[in-house]
Amino acid sequence: MEKNEWTPADLLQLSGSYWNTCALHAGVKLDLFTPLAEEALSASVLAARLAYAERGLAMLLNALTAMGLLEKDGERYGATPFAARFLARSSPDYLGHIILHHHNLMAGWNRLDEAVRSGGPVRGQLSRTDDAAARESFEMGMFNLAMLVAPRIVPRIDLSGRRRLLDLGGGPGTYAIHFCRHNPGLTAVVYDLPSTRPFAEKTIARFGLMDRIEFRDGDFITGDIEGRYDVAWLSQILHAEGPEGCAVILGKTAAALEPGGMLLVQEFILDDTKNAPLFPALFSLNMLVGTEAGRSYSEGELVAMLEQAGFENARRLPLDLPNGAGVVAATAPG
């Protein structure tokens, strides 16, 4: 919607849209969709089963029905087919992890004005939290997102002749899994913090790739990257750092790549004007709230960073991805 098309009603709808968000988050956090995907239940029966107050539960069930995520027949509520697929924990397509991660971000976003005034974060990085539940939501939330996007990226990138992939900051290893499944001759290393290991090893085992993908723990800001690789995949890690931190990461990646190795960087990419697309512009505020120097970068900034790190032929690949995401490729010198 263009600015001059706004109406007061539009503005007020935007201002109150968090009501829908909070209702969804509560439904996922209380895990209402899992039992209702199995059978339709009344509010009283579900309240007794889950030990929740019937009054509040009935109100939430009615709101989720009004939102189109539940169906109501008489006094019984059931999950819609869409909700059963994506919001029930029993489904292989469950997206609740990323929704819970979004929920964990809300407290920081509520203090956005403070972050803007100070220019610094108002919460810690959830990727480094000691809270086990928040950590699971973050790691498996990244799995949720990557499972949606990887099938649109991996088949479009030619890794013919490449043998060893570095998935730097790869979390649960979702991209390493997809690259290896698509390229039978490829092996991979997922390099991330030690706290990520349980999620990565469980996910790699789930896809039966333990013989081709290994997890190595370390901190790619303070430590070195072990091993030699002919392709490196850096997905959504540069935005957590300022330009100096990005230079460190890219320098260490360059040192780990064989001459002529391929570098692939995925980020939410701003236009060079930095005021579009919408999602990267908002995501930059998410980095303001939660990191010391992180931000979204423009395509021009990413290309310049790669060139400053010594990479050649930096260019954005022609991929149509959601939320302003893009992949910039480059070649290690030599």
Side-chain angles (χ1 to χ4, degrees), residues 137-315:
S137 296
F138 173 78
E139 294 293 351
M140 297 313 295
M142 299 307 102
F143 171 79
N144 286 161
L145 293 180
M147 286 296 290
L148 294 174
V149 179
R152 300 172 65 168
I153 295 176
V154 170
R156 300 284 305 277
I157 297 176
D158 183 7
L159 296 186
S160 300
R162 309 284 176 179
R163 297 298 177 189
R164 189 75 163 161
L165 178 138
L166 170 66
D167 188 356
L168 191 63
T174 321
Y175 281 101
I177 289 166
H178 279 269
F179 277 117
C180 283
R181 292 179 74 188
H182 193 74
N183 299 274
L186 192 68
T187 63
V189 168
V190 178
Y191 186 101
D192 212 327
L193 297 170
S195 55
T196 304
R197 180 183 290 275
F199 304 101
E201 292 184 340
K202 181 178 179 180
T203 306
I204 293 166
R206 170 179 166 183
F207 287 89
L209 289 168
M210 301 84 73
D211 59 331
R212 292 173 58 199
I213 304 174
E214 65 174 303
F215 181 89
R216 293 182 184 174
D217 54 49
D219 188 320
F220 47 74
I221 294 293
T222 61
D224 294 325
I225 301 172
E226 297 180 359
R228 300 291 293 171
Y229 308 89
D230 53 12
V231 57
W233 172 254
L234 280 61
S235 179
Q236 308 292 4
I237 62 173
L238 294 184
H239 62 237
E241 303 292 333
E244 291 183 1
C246 292
V248 170
I249 294 171
L250 293 173
K252 291 180 179 181
T253 304
L257 279 171
E258 300 284 359
M262 178 186 295
L263 173 66
L264 299 162
V265 175
Q266 180 181 207
E267 285 290 340
F268 299 120
I269 303 178
L270 287 164
D271 293 347
D272 287 338
T273 61
K274 298 191 180 180
N275 60 347
L278 176 60
F279 188 88
L282 291 173
F283 189 80
S284 206
L285 291 176
N286 192 49
M287 292 298 99
L288 171 68
V289 166
T291 69
E292 291 290 342
R295 67 197 71 176
S296 296
Y297 291 102
S298 69
E299 180 177 340
E301 288 174 321
L302 290 171
V303 168
M305 286 181 189
L306 269 57
E307 291 175 345
Q308 288 166 9
F311 289 96
E312 302 170 348
N313 192 28
R315 73 281 183 196

